[in-house]
Amino acid sequence: MNTHVEIEAPTRELSYAEAIREAMDIALGSDPAVVLMGEDIGVYGGAFQVTGDLVHKYGEDRVIDTPISELGGAGVAVGAALTGLKPIFEFQFSDFAALAMEQIVNQAAKVRYMLGGSVSVPLVMRFPAGSGTGAAAQHSQSIEAWLGHVPGLKVLQPSTPEDVKGMLLAALADPDPVMIFEHKILYKMKGHVPEGYYTTPIGKAAVRREGKDVTIVATSLMVHKALAAAETLAADGIEAEVIDLRTVRPMDRDTVLDSVRKTGRLVCVYEGVKTLGVGAEISAMVAESDAFDFLDAPIIRLGGAECPIPYNPELEKAAVPQMPDILNAARSLAKGQI
Amino acid sequence: MSTDRNDDSNIPYAIRTHTPEKLKDALRKMYLIRKFEEGAEESYTRGLIHGTMHLCIGQEASSVGTCLSLTDADKITSTHRGHGHCIAKGADVAKMFAEFFGKETGYCRGRGGSMHIADPSKGNLGANGIVGGGLPIAVGAALSAKRLGRDDVTICFFGDGANNEGAFHESVNMAAVWKLPVVFVCENNKYGMSTSIQRSTSVKSIADRAKGYDIPGVSVDGNDISAVAEAIDGAVARARAGEGPSLVENVTYRWRGHSKSDRNRYRTKEEISDWMARDPIPRFAADLIAHGILTEAELADIDAGTDREIAEAIEFARGGPDPDITQLTRDVYTETAA
Ligand SMILES: Cc1ncc(C[n+]2csc(CCOP(=O)(O)OP(=O)(O)O)c2C)c(N)n1
Ligand SMILES: [Mg+2]
């Protein structure tokens, strides 16, 4: 069943951060049960200025600065969600989810199931994620696969301003806990964003560019690197199809498999550590389906290096896939076939 | 002033208890910390350093006073605002700058950056990117000392904001129950990022937290190096005697924003300038001069000498080799001989 609302609305340019803020503004303005919670989201405006001035519009009772207490704060949000509020909980960095895993994984994700379906947890959590800011090992991780491994959670990685607004509003309309990973490098990225209320479906990938020669399935910031690579590939006569996965759990099987059946070649690009990551799941999905028979070459996974994110800028770049890596992978698959 | 050095309570504790050489070195370290921070800030502004950093300008007496009587065998765990702790515990500013510049010659071979500087050879177990991350680690270090029959003490630095992490409460309780040789040193600079202790913390003074764990807790003027040293010496003596942990609160203030992205919206200019008028460095220098420990000429030497030391350190750092990209995944695991 597809419950999302699609409407033709005028659009304008907003940054990714502004688009998130607009979604929260709409939610706060239209539903008194919605509250924002997090560290320094009030007068400070959030570590990445995402909540901005919302505290001035809605007050400290609805834009709630928590103490530096991730486990407790996340748990309070779970309890509030169980009992009538609809919290949007901001982690200052996704890495600090590690402190709150108990409440996210053991409580939020499982309570509905454990109680035989008698309750639900309409909770949204937002995680500024990813590397590229020189913040080193404890402030740069991509941990979507950790949470993607937990039945009961939905895990999103919107890559555009339009999607992040629509997916946040979809997450709020969803009765279950939804985790949204926002790549920090995307916050300043601008794009067209429809005005007013709309939702972007959870669990549906987007084909960002059509092509017949190779499928590139990418997540978050990697979508933009993949699109840049596709431009260059096109100049070589290789037509790449770029799929923005958008949701890690539940994963959109059909869009990926259809594309692989068409192109016969697959590159998965994601920033989280390669091993046991999102790309492993995508690859397995293909290997377990009839799309496997369409493959003309082995699948290539491009993921984060098997190490923490280092501080030195050159090492930091080397630790996650870059545009030339995508280019090389796609070229090697297409070699001699085009 | 003609007073017997061993006698009088008019003489500040530090001056009563330490040699002129030690005291002058303490002042030198305070200068070095201040200038290190200014040098780091300038390098950042000039685009020579990436990432972020948390400066401790204004808090020098807390770092140096706390470490004054420690030996290299004593341990510290530090925080994200850790440059002062490192220098107070004897770190080489050249290797610190090299780390900032992401060089192989830095304390962490360019892998860690500002938030992870450590120097195990001097008992510094490291700064931390996670608020509260060092608290249980300090308790573990104290457990080692006790079980292995060593008499070293561990000093655990943490901020006022960190006192609201579960890790704080769990750590203090274990240390108290097991009577471990650890001193919890809260640098209360009144804010955790933008959130004042009034808004985050249920007790007026962090030292009051000690009551809940039945350990001694004392709050001192953290801009008075002597007051800090006196409180710490008492707590360290108690720890070494096997009587268990204590909590010392150094009340101080950070002059700069929380990090490089702070717009100081949560505090007033007046508050900042009031605290700047309570600069711990000239205060200590004036005390040393008043008690005949230091001459104006020696003070000028310290000033010029630390300027030189910082300039040379930056020079050394900039000229150092970058890490080898092929070594990206080195040290993820310990390499063992096959
Ligand atoms: C677990 C965790 N939560 C949040 C942060 C982000 N953060 C870094 S420093 C800081 C404020 C810490 O305040 P305090 O402990 O008082 O130390 P101060 O910065 O004042 O020295 C915050 C919220 C973090 N690094 N780790
Ligand atoms: Mg503080």
Side-chain angles (χ1 to χ4, degrees):
Chain A
M1 195 187 71
N2 196 346
T3 53
H4 82 279
V5 188
E6 262 182 62
I7 43 171
E8 291 294 316
T11 69
R12 67 256 112 94
E13 292 261 309
L14 290 185
S15 73
Y16 189 93
E18 286 164 345
I20 299 169
R21 189 180 319 136
E22 186 165 276
M24 294 192 294
D25 195 354
I26 290 170
L28 285 162
S30 58
D31 185 349
V34 172
V35 293
L36 311 189
M37 296 176 67
E39 293 164 14
D40 307 285
I41 64 168
V43 292
Y44 198 93
F48 296 96
Q49 296 302 314
V50 175
T51 47
D53 286 335
L54 288 175
V55 70
H56 299 303
K57 188 163 173 188
Y58 296 100
E60 290 187 358
D61 291 340
R62 297 191 65 203
V63 180
I64 304 169
D65 270 339
T66 68
I68 309 174
S69 307
E70 288 79 11
L71 173 61
V76 169
V78 174
L82 267 173
T83 51
L85 288 178
K86 289 186 190 163
I88 304 177
F89 188 89
E90 174 179 302
F91 281 90
Q92 210 158 72
F93 285 77
S94 67
D95 311 67
F96 310 155
L99 285 84
M101 285 302 259
E102 198 287 300
Q103 286 292 328
I104 300 173
V105 174
N106 287 328
Q107 311 297 341
K110 299 181 173 47
V111 65
R112 176 175 174 78
Y113 185 84
M114 293 187 301
L115 272 56
S118 60
V119 295
S120 62
V121 183
L123 167 66
V124 177
M125 289 182 156
R126 299 182 32 246
F127 303 87
S131 68
T133 65
Q138 296 172 334
H139 287 73
S140 305
Q141 297 169 83
S142 297
I143 63 161
E144 52 282 347
W146 299 8
L147 297 188
H149 197 64
V150 182
L153 302 180
K154 296 180 181 175
V155 180
L156 320 184
Q157 286 189 284
S159 75
T160 68
E162 175 174 354
D163 277 3
V164 78
K165 177 179 167 186
M167 294 186 98
L168 178 49
L169 289 170
L172 268 171
D174 195 290
D176 294 316
V178 181
M179 312 285 118
I180 306 181
F181 286 88
E182 305 163 357
H183 202 293
K184 286 165 274 183
I185 299 296
L186 293 174
Y187 280 134
K188 295 207 162 107
M189 181 174 285
K190 297 221 167 206
H192 291 290
V193 177
E195 284 175 10
Y197 184 86
Y198 65 93
T199 59
T200 303
I202 292 172
K204 187 98 195 68
V207 179
R208 297 290 181 202
R209 179 188 178 111
E210 291 191 19
K212 60 178 178 24
D213 299 324
V214 55
T215 298
I216 305 176
V217 179
T219 60
S220 190
L221 182 61
M222 293 300 155
V223 172
H224 301 279
K225 294 186 182 178
L227 286 169
E231 287 290 313
T232 307
L233 290 167
D236 297 356
I238 301 173
E239 291 302 331
E241 179 144 301
V242 178
I243 295 178
D244 177 351
L245 194 62
R246 299 203 291 195
T247 307
V248 168
R249 173 184 276 270
M251 213 176 263
D252 180 355
R253 203 181 135 82
D254 291 347
T255 304
V256 173
L257 297 187
D258 282 351
S259 180
V260 171
R261 283 186 201 105
K262 178 169 75 174
T263 64
R265 301 180 187 90
L266 174 62
V267 182
C268 311
V269 202
Y270 50 107
E271 190 168 321
V273 172
K274 177 178 166 183
T275 302
L276 294 164
V278 171
E281 188 57 36
I282 299 168
S283 307
M285 212 161 71
V286 172
E288 287 174 343
S289 78
D290 71 288
F292 180 75
D293 299 329
F294 291 78
L295 284 178
D296 293 324
I299 296 168
I300 294 182
R301 282 181 294 155
L302 298 173
E306 306 296 319
C307 63
I309 299 291
Y311 168 71
N312 172 282
E314 294 311 313
L315 286 181
E316 185 182 16
K317 278 183 212 134
V320 301
Q322 301 296 343
M323 200 276 264
D325 302 320
I326 304 172
L327 216 49
N328 292 339
R331 277 184 181 142
S332 76
L333 290 186
K335 200 162 41 192
Q337 314 268 334
I338 311 289
Chain B
M1 229 176 277
S2 63
T3 18
D4 186 312
R5 286 203 72 211
N6 294 317
D7 158 65
D8 203 331
S9 52
N10 284 331
I11 303 179
Y13 173 84
I15 296 182
R16 265 186 352 249
T17 36
H18 290 286
T19 63
E21 285 61 46
K22 181 91 185 171
L23 293 166
K24 283 184 253 191
D25 189 56
L27 181 67
R28 189 189 66 83
K29 280 186 171 151
M30 289 170 80
Y31 265 85
L32 201 57
I33 294 171
R34 175 71 54 90
K35 289 172 182 182
F36 180 90
E37 298 292 57
E38 289 168 352
E41 188 171 40
E42 198 200 313
S43 303
Y44 183 88
T45 311
R46 288 168 57 200
L48 302 173
I49 294 178
H50 82 151
T52 189
M53 61 181 63
H54 308 89
L55 304 175
C56 70
I57 295 177
Q59 303 185 183
E60 295 86 350
S62 172
S63 292
V64 178
T66 299
C67 296
L68 196 61
S69 303
L70 303 182
T71 69
D72 286 356
D74 293 322
K75 313 283 185 285
I76 65 167
T77 59
S78 173
T79 69
H80 59 285
R81 202 173 304 286
H83 308 156
H85 308 151
C86 287
I87 294 173
K89 198 71 176 53
D92 172 356
V93 288
K95 286 177 77 176
M96 288 177 67
F97 267 118
E99 188 55 37
F100 275 22
F101 284 89
K103 301 294 188 177
E104 188 68 29
T105 38
Y107 268 113
C108 316
R109 298 174 186 267
R111 283 14 177 224
S114 162
M115 275 188 290
H116 302 288
I117 294 177
D119 184 5
S121 72
K122 291 269 199 278
N124 178 357
L125 299 179
N128 214 305
I130 300 298
V131 168
L135 280 147
I137 291 174
V139 176
L143 179 65
S144 279
K146 184 166 176 169
R147 289 270 63 79
L148 299 175
R150 295 190 313 245
D151 79 341
D152 53 89
V153 165
T154 302
I155 298 283
C156 174
F157 285 105
F158 65 102
D160 50 284
N163 105 88
N164 294 312
E165 288 284 13
F168 167 78
H169 297 272
E170 298 180 24
S171 299
V172 178
N173 182 60
M174 280 186 278
V177 170
W178 297 334
K179 285 207 178 334
L180 297 179
V182 54
V183 181
F184 298 99
V185 180
C186 180
E187 299 192 293
N188 177 359
N189 57 12
K190 308 208 173 272
Y191 298 91
M193 215 158 146
S194 69
T195 309
S196 66
I197 54 165
Q198 290 80 2
R199 294 177 61 229
S200 69
T201 300
S202 61
V203 288
K204 280 211 177 55
S205 158
I206 309 294
D208 290 344
R209 293 284 198 214
K211 289 181 197 149
Y213 304 96
D214 198 19
I215 64 170
V218 53
S219 183
V220 300
D221 177 352
N223 284 8
D224 176 355
I225 185 173
S226 230
V228 172
E230 186 164 10
I232 297 291
D233 281 1
V236 166
R238 186 181 135 83
R240 279 205 222 283
E243 292 162 28
S246 310
L247 174 55
V248 175
E249 175 185 22
N250 297 338
V251 178
T252 182
Y253 199 78
R254 65 169 154 74
W255 294 7
R256 295 294 195 269
H258 165 72
S259 69
K260 299 316 290 177
S261 59
D262 189 344
R263 294 176 297 168
N264 276 319
R265 283 190 168 179
Y266 51 89
R267 54 184 192 171
T268 62
K269 287 205 176 67
E270 292 69 39
E271 182 182 288
I272 299 172
S273 56
D274 276 1
W275 276 93
M276 288 176 72
R278 297 190 230 171
D279 190 338
I281 300 180
R283 180 168 169 185
F284 184 43
D287 265 357
L288 292 182
I289 290 171
H291 290 91
I293 306 284
L294 182 78
T295 65
E296 293 285 355
E298 286 173 318
L299 179 60
D301 279 351
I302 288 176
D303 191 10
T306 46
D307 272 342
R308 225 174 14 250
E309 195 174 339
I310 294 297
E312 284 166 12
I314 293 177
E315 229 2 67
F316 166 85
R318 293 189 67 180
D322 285 314
D324 175 356
I325 301 270
T326 65
Q327 299 290 297
L328 178 64
T329 57
R330 195 185 79 184
D331 294 330
V332 175
Y333 298 101
T334 308
E335 270 168 39
T336 46

